[in-house]
Amino acid sequence: MSSLNRELSEDSAFAAGRNSWNRHYHNSVVQPLLTDLYQITMAYAYWKSGKIDDHAVFDLFFRTNPFQGEFTIFAGLEECLKFLDSFHYSETDIEYLKHALPQGIEDEFFEYLSQLTAKDVTLYAIEEGSVAFPRVPLIKVAGPLIIVQLLETTLLTLVNYASLMATNAARYRMVAGKHIHLLEFGLRRAQGPDGGLSASKYSYIGGFDGTSNVLAGKLFNIPVKGTHAHAYITSFTGIDELKTRVLQHKEDGTTRDLLELAMEHRAALASVLDVSTDESSEGELAAMVSFAIAFPDGFMALVDTYDVKSDKLLGEPTEELCDPTDSVVCDLSCLGRLHDQAEEELMHTSNTITNTLPEIPEEECNGCCAEDEENRCAQHAEPEAGEEEEEVQEEENADEKSNEQPEQEPDESCHDPPPSITVEDEESTPVVDPELTMKESDENGNEDIEDQNERKATDEGIELEAQNDTEAPEGEDEITRCSNCEALNTMIHHLKTVGKSFSRTCWLERHLAEISRIVSHIEVLSYYDLTSHHHLSRSGLLNFCAVALALNDQGYRAIGIRIDSGDLAYLSCLARETFERIAERFKLPWFSKLTIVASNDINEDTILSLNEQGHKIDCFGIGTHLVTCQRQPALGCVYKMVEINNQPRIKLSQDVGKVTMPGSKNVFRLYGADGHALIDLLQRVDENPPEVGQKVLCRHPFQESKRAYVIPTQVEPLYRVYWTEGRVAQVLPSLEEVRERVQASLRTLRQDHKRTLNPTPYKVAVSDNLYNFIHELWLQNAPIGELS
């Protein structure tokens, strides 16, 4: 069992042992005044009209499944029952209502409200955690008209979000697969504290394995998980800040300097991972050592904080990309430099980035011309005497102009001559492919946020037009150049291999603008490739593995890493490959199984894409898209009267979808020969239930031609009485049992009902008796028009 599996199992067992005390938790916000004003004004009008003893039946249902799916998970029943149990207007409630309601309301009504409870209400519902479908009432409430009317808004708010949240979580669980752990990280993005608590609870019901929400963990026995933020890493600037460096051995108690151990392992790992220790951040190493000493049995580190090339935070704006080993910049003494190019020719006109190449003397054209004088280009031919004097004068004038307008000093942070690329400003930064875009985590770290300094690079294609097909002269590669000119020459040869050709005659000058654009394009993409991909192995991953091996020396096992930015599929594969190499090299099989957690504004589509890319992620931390249900923010449950004083009631509408099904009803789920749920059947309460093996006529409630016979192999009554005579009538399941119910109920559906793309609609039907009853009542209540 993996370390994360072990931790979650232990947390669940611990939670089960405490289940007795927190089951009595009741949200104090859920009270009779948590309702719409018109419910109370209607209650007064009912009371004034003498309808105190009227008996009504209301159905609570939804009309459309959320998220373009074909199922919904019913949730929120337990909170509804707690609300019924505590339903009572307090003295302060009554005092407030006297001021809030219109003047002239009789005092006897307030006395009536002060005595009102839910003892005469009967509540029927399907089992919490069951799959449900449009038009099938989730809850049926029967009782005195005034009280069941007053329950409407509160019951809706308790069921709507809970069911939507549980459904969203269940969908994430299905796309992630049963072997991937899911953690809810959404408290900071939820709709207020109550929304955050509900999100934690119902995401757990829907299939998530834990939450970062500590209060939810206490109240609902949900396993609580978390790592640390980028802020913890950046709080250390170097190893000299470590106040505590020693750690006792887990078994024998001997103490060793964990930092020294980690640095020794880092030096050894540098050769294994083919990286240099100089490229890793000392502050990051210090932070990881500190965290490992604090939590030696639970060491999980965030590994994407730093850019290895500049040792700056990912996402932080960089004014100049001037690394000497990657930039195509000529040394001052290099003979392979260009000359006399106007500054305008050095500007890339795509309004995205400015490229500045330094001035190059004209004595050398970087090997573009043949050595013999006869074949020299006009630009580099020997000048005649008169021309030579003119050129000397022009050079003197140019020197004077240069002295008047000195070149801009290079960035002090760059130790080499002038940079090859200068980024004008953040707003002109080009756009990069989403996979290369880097995001910075917010300072508390559970889930990344869009950084205002996010940098992007263009992915537009590069096209160069050939001037002629003449090859460069022999001996070109023998010309002495600086390392940067060699890099430029290598790039050009590479372009030739993919079908690009350049002029033999002074092609550098003819193609200066294109070359400048190529250099900037490759430089920027190279920068992003390094920062979004290789920084993981060169700093964060190297430091983590070194600390993990140091912990191993002291008898502890690290848990794993969290990646919060970059190409998650690529980085997870890189991390897994690294763990496996280390496991083999150091004979530590468990190292290859270290947990990889990914969090980065993840949604359903992200997980589906990662699945296609063959990611190696063990756990997803999901926040915003989960808790806010961004694909559909509301379920749309409604609460409609269907009967009063044993008289059925129907709501008519030109929109057939809004026509209600009248009367008190029962619901049965019929199963087919393959064991899967086939159809939900609504009947009038006085009808005999369907029987196994007996043919049942099932009809569409509003379309006469849609009907079919069903011979069920199993008949499941969906309704149970959950509240009657002032008390809960069923033993309520624990949160764990509701969670298991969700998965068991989903297994009763065919796969085509659950698929993400174009799922098959599940059928909801009415009995022949109910069909005829609906249409007779419809005709009775529909007005008859008159033509003139």
Side-chain angles (χ1 to χ4, degrees):
M1 182 182 293
S2 71
S3 55
L4 187 60
N5 276 326
R6 183 178 66 252
E7 283 197 352
L8 290 169
S9 296
E10 291 171 355
D11 290 344
S12 297
F14 175 65
R18 301 187 334 203
N19 192 50
S20 58
W21 61 267
N22 70 356
R23 285 300 301 278
H24 299 292
Y25 163 76
H26 175 69
N27 188 345
S28 60
V29 174
V30 181
Q31 52 183 291
L33 290 190
L34 185 67
T35 190
D36 296 309
L37 179 64
Y38 83 160
Q39 307 290 5
I40 300 175
T41 56
M42 280 194 295
Y44 177 67
Y46 286 146
W47 180 85
K48 187 72 173 176
S49 301
K51 299 180 73 68
I52 293 177
D53 296 326
D54 285 11
H55 186 278
V57 178
F58 281 78
D59 285 347
L60 189 155
F61 60 96
F62 60 93
R63 296 187 176 106
T64 307
N65 286 303
F67 313 118
Q68 280 118 29
E70 287 299 334
F71 71 87
T72 300
I73 302 296
F74 169 49
L77 176 60
E78 181 179 348
E79 295 304 314
C80 291
L81 298 176
K82 288 179 179 179
F83 171 58
L84 292 179
D85 190 47
S86 63
F87 187 93
H88 173 68
Y89 291 99
S90 67
E91 290 183 9
T92 56
D93 291 341
I94 298 299
E95 289 301 315
Y96 172 76
L97 289 175
K98 287 181 178 179
H99 293 281
L101 291 172
Q103 297 298 312
I105 293 181
E106 301 174 34
D107 289 338
E108 288 80 0
F109 172 69
F110 294 113
E111 179 64 24
Y112 169 78
L113 285 184
S114 67
Q115 304 299 318
L116 197 61
T117 67
K119 63 181 179 62
D120 296 323
V121 172
T122 302
L123 184 145
Y124 307 82
I126 66 176
E127 192 172 358
E128 186 164 15
S130 298
V131 290
F133 305 98
R135 295 192 169 278
V136 176
L138 305 172
I139 293 175
K140 181 173 67 173
V141 183
L145 173 61
I146 293 178
I147 179 64
V148 295
Q149 183 72 70
L150 288 169
L151 297 176
E152 175 181 359
T153 302
T154 315
L155 292 181
L156 285 171
T157 195
L158 292 174
V159 170
N160 258 314
Y161 181 67
S163 299
L164 186 73
M165 188 69 237
T167 306
N168 201 23
R171 291 176 61 89
Y172 275 97
R173 167 51 64 199
M174 289 193 304
V175 298
K178 62 182 180 180
H179 299 299
I180 300 296
H181 286 95
L182 297 175
L183 300 178
E184 177 267 313
F185 283 175
L187 178 59
R188 65 189 57 198
R189 305 292 173 76
Q191 281 85 346
D194 292 299
L197 280 175
S198 294
S200 299
K201 178 179 180 179
Y202 295 111
S203 65
Y204 186 63
I205 284 177
F208 273 59
D209 299 289
T211 179
S212 64
N213 187 338
V214 180
L215 182 57
K218 174 188 175 184
L219 296 178
F220 308 125
N221 298 324
I222 301 172
V224 180
K225 295 294 170 188
T227 53
H228 60 75
H230 290 103
Y232 189 84
I233 298 293
T234 59
S235 69
F236 290 81
T237 59
I239 58 178
D240 56 325
E241 294 184 19
L242 278 174
K243 307 299 182 184
T244 304
R245 294 169 49 161
V246 298
L247 178 66
Q248 283 190 344
H249 194 282
K250 189 173 184 178
E251 303 296 336
D252 57 31
T254 58
T255 59
R256 296 186 67 181
D257 188 314
L258 196 67
L259 176 61
E260 287 186 2
L261 285 175
M263 295 184 76
E264 291 173 7
H265 283 296
R266 187 172 67 167
L269 287 172
S271 60
V272 176
L273 303 181
D274 193 26
V275 296
S276 170
T277 56
D278 294 336
E279 295 182 275
S280 62
S281 166
E282 295 296 296
E284 183 180 56
L285 177 63
M288 289 186 180
V289 169
S290 171
F291 202 74
I293 291 173
F295 302 99
D297 276 317
F299 178 54
M300 175 171 281
L302 188 58
V303 295
D304 65 344
T305 303
Y306 288 104
D307 166 358
V308 296
K309 304 304 285 182
S310 66
D311 202 35
K312 292 183 178 182
L313 282 175
L314 288 181
E316 185 175 315
T318 303
E319 290 301 316
E320 293 185 347
L321 308 176
C322 53
D323 184 74
T325 62
D326 292 316
S327 300
V328 183
V329 185
C330 285
D331 293 337
L332 294 174
S333 60
C334 176
L335 297 179
R337 309 183 71 206
L338 302 177
H339 80 291
D340 282 346
Q341 294 302 317
E343 185 176 354
E344 296 78 44
E345 295 181 65
L346 303 177
M347 304 298 289
H348 177 30
T349 58
S350 64
N351 73 30
T352 58
I353 192 165
T354 300
N355 305 317
T356 303
L357 295 178
E359 188 178 48
I360 296 177
E362 72 176 3
E363 286 79 15
E364 183 62 42
C365 65
N366 202 24
C368 67
C369 296
E371 293 181 359
D372 60 292
E373 297 181 1
E374 294 180 0
N375 295 325
R376 284 186 178 273
C377 61
Q379 179 71 38
H380 296 88
E382 290 292 336
E384 296 180 2
E387 294 175 348
E388 184 175 2
E389 292 178 2
E390 290 181 20
E391 288 182 8
V392 170
Q393 184 63 38
E394 288 174 2
E395 287 179 6
E396 290 176 357
N397 295 337
D399 290 339
E400 291 176 3
K401 184 177 181 179
S402 175
N403 291 333
E404 294 174 2
Q405 297 179 350
E407 293 183 2
Q408 184 177 354
E409 292 295 324
D411 194 323
E412 294 180 359
S413 64
C414 188
H415 302 295
D416 277 30
S420 62
I421 297 177
T422 55
V423 179
E424 286 186 314
D425 53 50
E426 295 175 42
E427 294 180 356
S428 65
T429 307
V431 179
V432 76
D433 184 89
E435 293 295 333
L436 296 177
T437 301
M438 284 170 292
K439 298 178 182 179
E440 178 58 51
S441 216
D442 60 304
E443 75 173 2
N444 292 324
N446 275 335
E447 184 186 1
D448 79 310
I449 59 176
E450 294 282 349
D451 194 277
Q452 63 268 30
N453 295 325
E454 183 175 52
R455 310 196 55 214
K456 301 181 177 180
T458 182
D459 62 351
E460 65 179 2
I462 304 173
E463 296 182 358
L464 294 179
E465 295 183 359
Q467 298 299 314
N468 62 50
D469 296 330
T470 307
E471 295 181 359
E474 294 182 4
E476 177 183 318
D477 292 335
E478 296 177 2
I479 293 176
T480 302
R481 304 179 185 86
C482 67
S483 61
N484 291 313
C485 280
E486 288 290 351
L488 178 58
N489 193 56
T490 300
M491 176 192 71
I492 294 165
H493 277 289
H494 173 69
L495 290 175
K496 286 182 178 180
T497 65
V498 294
K500 307 298 181 182
S501 63
F502 296 89
S503 171
R504 172 176 178 268
T505 306
C506 296
W507 62 268
L508 278 175
E509 298 195 352
R510 293 189 181 188
H511 296 286
L512 182 60
E514 277 80 1
I515 291 169
S516 180
R517 185 162 63 94
I518 294 170
V519 171
S520 70
H521 181 83
I522 293 177
E523 187 70 17
V524 174
L525 291 184
S526 174
Y527 169 80
Y528 276 98
D529 179 64
L530 286 169
T531 52
S532 67
H533 287 173
H534 300 302
H535 78 274
L536 188 70
S537 62
R538 295 178 183 271
S539 185
L541 198 55
L542 176 61
N543 283 331
F544 167 79
C545 293
V547 176
L549 289 176
L551 281 175
N552 179 70
D553 292 344
Q554 291 301 89
Y556 300 95
R557 289 188 180 182
I559 300 297
I561 63 171
R562 179 162 73 92
I563 306 170
D564 193 45
S565 62
D567 185 333
L568 297 181
Y570 173 86
L571 296 178
S572 67
C573 292
L574 174 65
R576 181 63 67 209
E577 179 186 359
T578 300
F579 295 157
E580 290 171 349
R581 289 170 61 186
I582 293 173
E584 182 179 359
R585 179 67 175 269
F586 296 94
K587 307 303 180 187
L588 298 172
W590 60 270
F591 209 96
S592 66
K593 305 297 183 184
L594 286 172
T595 298
I596 299 174
V597 178
S599 56
N600 186 11
D601 205 27
I602 292 168
N603 58 27
E604 258 189 76
D605 294 333
T606 304
I607 298 177
L608 288 169
S609 176
L610 289 170
N611 290 343
E612 293 174 354
Q613 297 174 66
H615 71 84
K616 301 298 181 182
I617 297 166
D618 302 295
C619 177
F620 289 107
I622 306 175
T624 304
H625 289 274
L626 173 68
V627 303
T628 63
C629 299
Q630 285 191 349
R631 292 183 65 186
Q632 181 173 326
L635 178 57
C637 285
V638 294
Y639 187 84
K640 299 298 181 183
M641 179 190 291
V642 294
E643 186 177 283
I644 186 166
N645 298 328
N646 296 318
Q647 297 298 312
R649 289 293 182 266
I650 186 171
K651 175 186 178 296
L652 299 181
S653 172
Q654 290 184 343
D655 181 356
V656 176
K658 290 189 174 183
V659 175
T660 60
M661 289 188 280
S664 182
K665 298 169 289 291
N666 285 327
V667 184
F668 300 90
R669 185 158 293 165
L670 309 185
Y671 290 79
D674 59 0
H676 288 118
L678 187 62
I679 196 167
D680 279 11
L681 179 67
L682 286 82
Q683 294 184 334
R684 300 184 69 186
V685 291
D686 57 359
E687 290 187 69
N688 293 325
E691 297 180 6
V692 173
Q694 299 295 314
K695 185 184 295 185
V696 181
L697 179 59
C698 300
R699 305 193 65 170
H700 188 283
F702 304 114
Q703 297 183 30
E704 185 175 16
S705 62
K706 290 189 176 182
R707 53 187 181 174
Y709 284 110
V710 175
I711 303 177
T713 59
Q714 178 187 345
V715 177
E716 179 187 4
L718 295 188
Y719 282 150
R720 296 184 183 182
V721 178
Y722 278 94
W723 176 269
T724 187
E725 298 178 354
R727 61 182 180 83
V728 176
Q730 302 282 342
V731 176
L732 296 181
S734 67
L735 210 62
E736 289 288 341
E737 291 170 330
V738 176
R739 171 183 163 88
E740 292 171 4
R741 170 66 182 167
V742 171
Q743 300 307 317
S745 187
L746 282 170
R747 285 193 293 271
T748 66
L749 298 184
R750 296 198 314 265
Q751 188 59 41
D752 58 302
H753 294 309
K754 298 181 288 184
R755 65 191 177 204
T756 304
L757 183 63
N758 296 325
T760 302
Y762 182 87
K763 293 179 175 59
V764 174
V766 297
S767 66
D768 188 54
N769 189 317
L770 180 56
Y771 175 87
N772 293 324
F773 177 70
I774 292 171
H775 287 265
E776 288 174 6
L777 197 62
W778 194 339
L779 291 175
Q780 291 174 14
N781 288 270
I784 300 174
E786 180 177 331
L787 299 178
S788 60

